[in-house]
Short mmCIF file of all heavy atoms in Angstrom, two decimals:
data_model
loop_
_atom_site.label_atom_id
_atom_site.label_comp_id
_atom_site.label_asym_id
_atom_site.label_seq_id
_atom_site.Cartn_x
_atom_site.Cartn_y
_atom_site.Cartn_z
N HIS A 138 -8.29 -38.69 -7.58
CA HIS A 138 -9.18 -39.77 -7.12
C HIS A 138 -8.46 -41.08 -7.38
O HIS A 138 -8.35 -41.57 -8.47
CB HIS A 138 -10.49 -39.73 -7.85
CG HIS A 138 -11.32 -38.46 -7.59
ND1 HIS A 138 -11.95 -38.18 -6.38
CD2 HIS A 138 -11.53 -37.36 -8.37
CE1 HIS A 138 -12.56 -37.06 -6.45
NE2 HIS A 138 -12.27 -36.50 -7.69
N GLY A 139 -7.95 -41.68 -6.21
CA GLY A 139 -7.20 -42.95 -6.34
C GLY A 139 -8.02 -44.16 -5.95
O GLY A 139 -9.28 -44.05 -5.62
N ARG A 140 -7.35 -45.27 -5.87
CA ARG A 140 -8.07 -46.50 -5.56
C ARG A 140 -8.46 -46.49 -4.07
O ARG A 140 -9.47 -47.04 -3.69
CB ARG A 140 -7.10 -47.74 -5.81
CG ARG A 140 -7.76 -49.09 -5.53
CD ARG A 140 -6.74 -50.17 -5.98
NE ARG A 140 -5.51 -50.01 -5.31
CZ ARG A 140 -5.26 -50.49 -4.08
NH1 ARG A 140 -6.23 -51.07 -3.33
NH2 ARG A 140 -4.07 -50.33 -3.52
N VAL A 141 -7.60 -45.91 -3.21
CA VAL A 141 -7.80 -45.93 -1.77
C VAL A 141 -8.31 -44.62 -1.29
O VAL A 141 -9.26 -44.52 -0.51
CB VAL A 141 -6.58 -46.40 -1.09
CG1 VAL A 141 -6.83 -46.36 0.43
CG2 VAL A 141 -6.15 -47.72 -1.52
N ALA A 142 -7.76 -43.49 -1.80
CA ALA A 142 -8.00 -42.19 -1.20
C ALA A 142 -8.26 -41.13 -2.32
O ALA A 142 -7.79 -41.30 -3.44
CB ALA A 142 -6.89 -41.75 -0.31
N SER A 143 -9.03 -40.13 -2.00
CA SER A 143 -9.15 -38.95 -2.88
C SER A 143 -8.46 -37.75 -2.14
O SER A 143 -8.60 -37.55 -0.98
CB SER A 143 -10.64 -38.57 -3.07
OG SER A 143 -11.24 -39.68 -3.79
N VAL A 144 -7.70 -37.04 -2.95
CA VAL A 144 -6.87 -35.90 -2.44
C VAL A 144 -7.21 -34.65 -3.21
O VAL A 144 -7.17 -34.67 -4.43
CB VAL A 144 -5.41 -36.27 -2.50
CG1 VAL A 144 -4.60 -35.08 -1.85
CG2 VAL A 144 -5.14 -37.55 -1.75
N GLU A 145 -7.54 -33.54 -2.54
CA GLU A 145 -7.67 -32.21 -3.17
C GLU A 145 -6.61 -31.38 -2.61
O GLU A 145 -6.38 -31.27 -1.41
CB GLU A 145 -9.01 -31.62 -2.86
CG GLU A 145 -10.17 -32.38 -3.57
CD GLU A 145 -11.53 -31.71 -3.25
OE1 GLU A 145 -11.50 -30.62 -2.51
OE2 GLU A 145 -12.50 -32.15 -3.79
N TYR A 146 -5.80 -30.70 -3.45
CA TYR A 146 -4.68 -29.81 -3.00
C TYR A 146 -4.44 -28.72 -4.04
O TYR A 146 -5.10 -28.70 -5.06
CB TYR A 146 -3.43 -30.66 -2.82
CG TYR A 146 -2.99 -31.42 -4.05
CD1 TYR A 146 -2.00 -30.90 -4.83
CD2 TYR A 146 -3.56 -32.61 -4.48
CE1 TYR A 146 -1.59 -31.51 -5.95
CE2 TYR A 146 -3.22 -33.25 -5.63
CZ TYR A 146 -2.16 -32.71 -6.42
OH TYR A 146 -1.78 -33.39 -7.45
N LYS A 147 -3.71 -27.77 -3.60
CA LYS A 147 -3.30 -26.56 -4.47
C LYS A 147 -1.78 -26.44 -4.44
O LYS A 147 -1.09 -26.77 -3.45
CB LYS A 147 -3.86 -25.31 -3.89
CG LYS A 147 -5.41 -25.25 -3.92
CD LYS A 147 -5.85 -23.90 -3.34
CE LYS A 147 -7.37 -23.87 -3.31
NZ LYS A 147 -7.83 -22.55 -2.74
N VAL A 148 -1.29 -26.01 -5.61
CA VAL A 148 0.14 -25.78 -5.72
C VAL A 148 0.37 -24.33 -6.20
O VAL A 148 -0.50 -23.72 -6.84
CB VAL A 148 0.79 -26.78 -6.76
CG1 VAL A 148 0.64 -28.22 -6.23
CG2 VAL A 148 0.14 -26.61 -8.08
N ARG A 149 1.55 -23.77 -5.83
CA ARG A 149 1.86 -22.38 -6.17
C ARG A 149 3.37 -22.26 -6.29
O ARG A 149 4.14 -22.89 -5.49
CB ARG A 149 1.39 -21.44 -5.09
CG ARG A 149 1.66 -19.92 -5.47
CD ARG A 149 1.10 -19.01 -4.49
NE ARG A 149 1.71 -19.12 -3.17
CZ ARG A 149 1.51 -18.17 -2.15
NH1 ARG A 149 0.70 -17.19 -2.36
NH2 ARG A 149 2.17 -18.36 -1.02
N VAL A 150 3.79 -21.48 -7.27
CA VAL A 150 5.23 -21.16 -7.46
C VAL A 150 5.43 -19.74 -7.05
O VAL A 150 4.67 -18.84 -7.46
CB VAL A 150 5.66 -21.43 -8.93
CG1 VAL A 150 7.07 -20.94 -9.17
CG2 VAL A 150 5.51 -22.89 -9.29
N HIS A 151 6.44 -19.42 -6.18
CA HIS A 151 6.75 -18.02 -5.95
C HIS A 151 8.20 -17.77 -6.07
O HIS A 151 8.99 -18.67 -5.86
CB HIS A 151 6.23 -17.66 -4.47
CG HIS A 151 6.89 -18.42 -3.37
ND1 HIS A 151 8.08 -18.08 -2.83
CD2 HIS A 151 6.41 -19.57 -2.75
CE1 HIS A 151 8.37 -18.96 -1.85
NE2 HIS A 151 7.41 -19.85 -1.82
N CYS A 152 8.53 -16.46 -6.36
CA CYS A 152 9.94 -16.12 -6.61
C CYS A 152 10.71 -16.08 -5.28
O CYS A 152 10.15 -15.85 -4.23
CB CYS A 152 10.00 -14.77 -7.28
SG CYS A 152 9.25 -14.73 -8.86
N GLY A 153 11.98 -16.34 -5.40
CA GLY A 153 12.85 -16.27 -4.30
C GLY A 153 12.96 -14.80 -3.82
O GLY A 153 12.58 -13.84 -4.51
N GLU A 154 13.66 -14.52 -2.74
CA GLU A 154 13.82 -13.21 -2.16
C GLU A 154 14.60 -12.28 -3.16
O GLU A 154 15.57 -12.72 -3.74
CB GLU A 154 14.54 -13.26 -0.81
CG GLU A 154 14.67 -11.92 -0.13
CD GLU A 154 15.37 -11.99 1.21
OE1 GLU A 154 15.88 -13.12 1.53
OE2 GLU A 154 15.40 -11.01 1.95
N ASN A 155 14.04 -11.07 -3.30
CA ASN A 155 14.64 -10.01 -4.22
C ASN A 155 14.51 -10.34 -5.62
O ASN A 155 15.14 -9.67 -6.49
CB ASN A 155 16.14 -9.82 -3.88
CG ASN A 155 16.32 -9.38 -2.39
OD1 ASN A 155 15.48 -8.64 -1.82
ND2 ASN A 155 17.41 -9.76 -1.81
N TYR A 156 13.65 -11.35 -6.04
CA TYR A 156 13.44 -11.60 -7.46
C TYR A 156 11.95 -11.39 -7.81
O TYR A 156 11.04 -11.80 -6.98
CB TYR A 156 13.85 -13.00 -7.82
CG TYR A 156 15.35 -13.14 -7.82
CD1 TYR A 156 16.00 -13.59 -6.75
CD2 TYR A 156 16.08 -12.96 -9.00
CE1 TYR A 156 17.43 -13.73 -6.73
CE2 TYR A 156 17.44 -13.07 -9.05
CZ TYR A 156 18.14 -13.45 -7.92
OH TYR A 156 19.50 -13.61 -7.97
N PHE A 157 11.65 -10.83 -8.92
CA PHE A 157 10.28 -10.51 -9.37
C PHE A 157 10.08 -10.84 -10.81
O PHE A 157 10.97 -11.20 -11.52
CB PHE A 157 10.10 -8.94 -9.11
CG PHE A 157 10.28 -8.57 -7.66
CD1 PHE A 157 11.63 -8.13 -7.23
CD2 PHE A 157 9.27 -8.39 -6.78
CE1 PHE A 157 11.76 -7.76 -5.95
CE2 PHE A 157 9.42 -8.05 -5.46
CZ PHE A 157 10.75 -7.68 -5.05
N GLY A 158 8.83 -10.61 -11.23
CA GLY A 158 8.55 -10.82 -12.63
C GLY A 158 7.89 -12.18 -12.89
O GLY A 158 7.99 -13.11 -12.08
N PRO A 159 7.33 -12.34 -14.09
CA PRO A 159 6.67 -13.66 -14.41
C PRO A 159 7.65 -14.77 -14.54
O PRO A 159 7.28 -15.89 -14.44
CB PRO A 159 5.98 -13.35 -15.76
CG PRO A 159 6.72 -12.18 -16.29
CD PRO A 159 7.17 -11.40 -15.14
N PHE A 160 8.96 -14.50 -14.73
CA PHE A 160 9.96 -15.58 -14.88
C PHE A 160 10.86 -15.57 -13.67
O PHE A 160 11.93 -16.26 -13.72
CB PHE A 160 10.76 -15.39 -16.17
CG PHE A 160 9.85 -15.44 -17.37
CD1 PHE A 160 9.49 -14.26 -18.03
CD2 PHE A 160 9.35 -16.62 -17.88
CE1 PHE A 160 8.72 -14.27 -19.14
CE2 PHE A 160 8.53 -16.67 -18.96
CZ PHE A 160 8.23 -15.44 -19.65
N CYS A 161 10.60 -14.68 -12.63
CA CYS A 161 11.45 -14.57 -11.46
C CYS A 161 12.86 -14.24 -11.84
O CYS A 161 13.89 -14.67 -11.22
CB CYS A 161 11.44 -15.84 -10.56
SG CYS A 161 9.82 -16.25 -10.03
N ASN A 162 13.09 -13.45 -12.89
CA ASN A 162 14.38 -13.09 -13.36
C ASN A 162 14.71 -11.62 -13.22
O ASN A 162 15.70 -11.15 -13.72
CB ASN A 162 14.56 -13.53 -14.82
CG ASN A 162 13.57 -12.90 -15.73
OD1 ASN A 162 12.59 -12.26 -15.22
ND2 ASN A 162 13.70 -13.01 -17.01
N LYS A 163 13.84 -10.83 -12.51
CA LYS A 163 14.08 -9.45 -12.31
C LYS A 163 14.52 -9.17 -10.87
O LYS A 163 13.75 -9.48 -9.93
CB LYS A 163 12.80 -8.60 -12.61
CG LYS A 163 13.02 -7.11 -12.57
CD LYS A 163 11.77 -6.34 -13.04
CE LYS A 163 12.03 -4.88 -13.13
NZ LYS A 163 10.86 -4.13 -13.53
N PHE A 164 15.76 -8.67 -10.78
CA PHE A 164 16.36 -8.61 -9.41
C PHE A 164 16.12 -7.15 -8.87
O PHE A 164 16.37 -6.18 -9.61
CB PHE A 164 17.85 -8.82 -9.50
CG PHE A 164 18.56 -8.72 -8.13
CD1 PHE A 164 18.42 -9.70 -7.19
CD2 PHE A 164 19.28 -7.61 -7.88
CE1 PHE A 164 19.03 -9.57 -5.92
CE2 PHE A 164 19.92 -7.47 -6.61
CZ PHE A 164 19.79 -8.47 -5.66
N CYS A 165 15.66 -7.03 -7.66
CA CYS A 165 15.54 -5.75 -6.98
C CYS A 165 15.62 -5.99 -5.51
O CYS A 165 14.96 -6.73 -4.89
CB CYS A 165 14.21 -5.06 -7.31
SG CYS A 165 14.00 -3.43 -6.52
N ARG A 166 16.62 -5.17 -4.87
CA ARG A 166 16.87 -5.31 -3.45
C ARG A 166 16.78 -3.98 -2.79
O ARG A 166 17.45 -3.04 -3.24
CB ARG A 166 18.20 -6.02 -3.12
CG ARG A 166 18.41 -6.24 -1.65
CD ARG A 166 19.68 -6.91 -1.39
NE ARG A 166 20.87 -6.13 -1.78
CZ ARG A 166 22.13 -6.54 -1.84
NH1 ARG A 166 22.39 -7.79 -1.48
NH2 ARG A 166 23.10 -5.80 -2.21
N ALA A 167 15.92 -3.79 -1.75
CA ALA A 167 15.85 -2.46 -1.10
C ALA A 167 17.16 -2.26 -0.35
O ALA A 167 17.79 -3.12 0.26
CB ALA A 167 14.69 -2.59 -0.09
N ARG A 168 17.55 -0.96 -0.37
CA ARG A 168 18.83 -0.52 0.24
C ARG A 168 18.79 0.95 0.68
O ARG A 168 18.01 1.70 0.11
CB ARG A 168 20.00 -0.85 -0.64
CG ARG A 168 20.06 -0.04 -1.96
CD ARG A 168 21.06 -0.64 -2.90
NE ARG A 168 22.37 -0.95 -2.19
CZ ARG A 168 23.26 -1.86 -2.52
NH1 ARG A 168 23.00 -2.54 -3.63
NH2 ARG A 168 24.38 -2.00 -1.85
N ASP A 169 19.65 1.28 1.55
CA ASP A 169 19.79 2.64 2.08
C ASP A 169 21.25 2.85 2.42
O ASP A 169 21.59 2.87 3.57
CB ASP A 169 18.83 2.89 3.27
CG ASP A 169 18.81 4.34 3.70
OD1 ASP A 169 19.26 5.23 2.92
OD2 ASP A 169 18.38 4.59 4.83
N ASP A 170 22.04 2.96 1.37
CA ASP A 170 23.48 3.10 1.59
C ASP A 170 24.10 3.97 0.46
O ASP A 170 23.35 4.67 -0.27
CB ASP A 170 24.17 1.74 1.68
CG ASP A 170 23.79 0.84 0.49
OD1 ASP A 170 23.49 1.42 -0.61
OD2 ASP A 170 23.87 -0.42 0.61
N PHE A 171 25.35 3.91 0.31
CA PHE A 171 25.99 4.74 -0.71
C PHE A 171 25.56 4.40 -2.11
O PHE A 171 25.52 5.32 -3.01
CB PHE A 171 27.55 4.47 -0.59
CG PHE A 171 28.31 5.21 -1.71
CD1 PHE A 171 28.61 6.57 -1.60
CD2 PHE A 171 28.77 4.54 -2.83
CE1 PHE A 171 29.27 7.19 -2.63
CE2 PHE A 171 29.47 5.08 -3.83
CZ PHE A 171 29.77 6.49 -3.72
N PHE A 172 25.14 3.19 -2.38
CA PHE A 172 24.75 2.78 -3.67
C PHE A 172 23.32 3.01 -4.07
O PHE A 172 22.90 2.81 -5.11
CB PHE A 172 25.07 1.18 -3.87
CG PHE A 172 26.50 0.88 -3.71
CD1 PHE A 172 27.00 0.39 -2.43
CD2 PHE A 172 27.40 1.07 -4.76
CE1 PHE A 172 28.29 0.04 -2.32
CE2 PHE A 172 28.75 0.80 -4.56
CZ PHE A 172 29.20 0.31 -3.39
N GLY A 173 22.48 3.51 -3.08
CA GLY A 173 21.15 3.82 -3.40
C GLY A 173 20.25 3.88 -2.14
O GLY A 173 20.64 3.36 -1.08
#
């Protein structure tokens, strides 16, 4: 609530691609090749 305008908004943090866990430090990538 400011002097001129009131703003309601939401923020969210999400992990990057292939990273998981509460600290985004667990790596997992789907694959179908010689390695798995």
Side-chain angles (χ1 to χ4, degrees):
H138 295 287
R140 182 177 56 83
V141 177
S143 295
V144 182
E145 293 183 357
Y146 58 100
K147 295 180 181 179
V148 297
R149 181 176 67 171
V150 174
H151 62 84
C152 298
E154 185 179 7
N155 300 326
Y156 286 92
F157 301 87
F160 302 101
C161 298
N162 58 351
K163 187 173 183 178
F164 179 77
C165 181
R166 182 178 64 185
R168 62 191 315 152
D169 186 15
D170 51 24
F171 173 79
F172 298 100

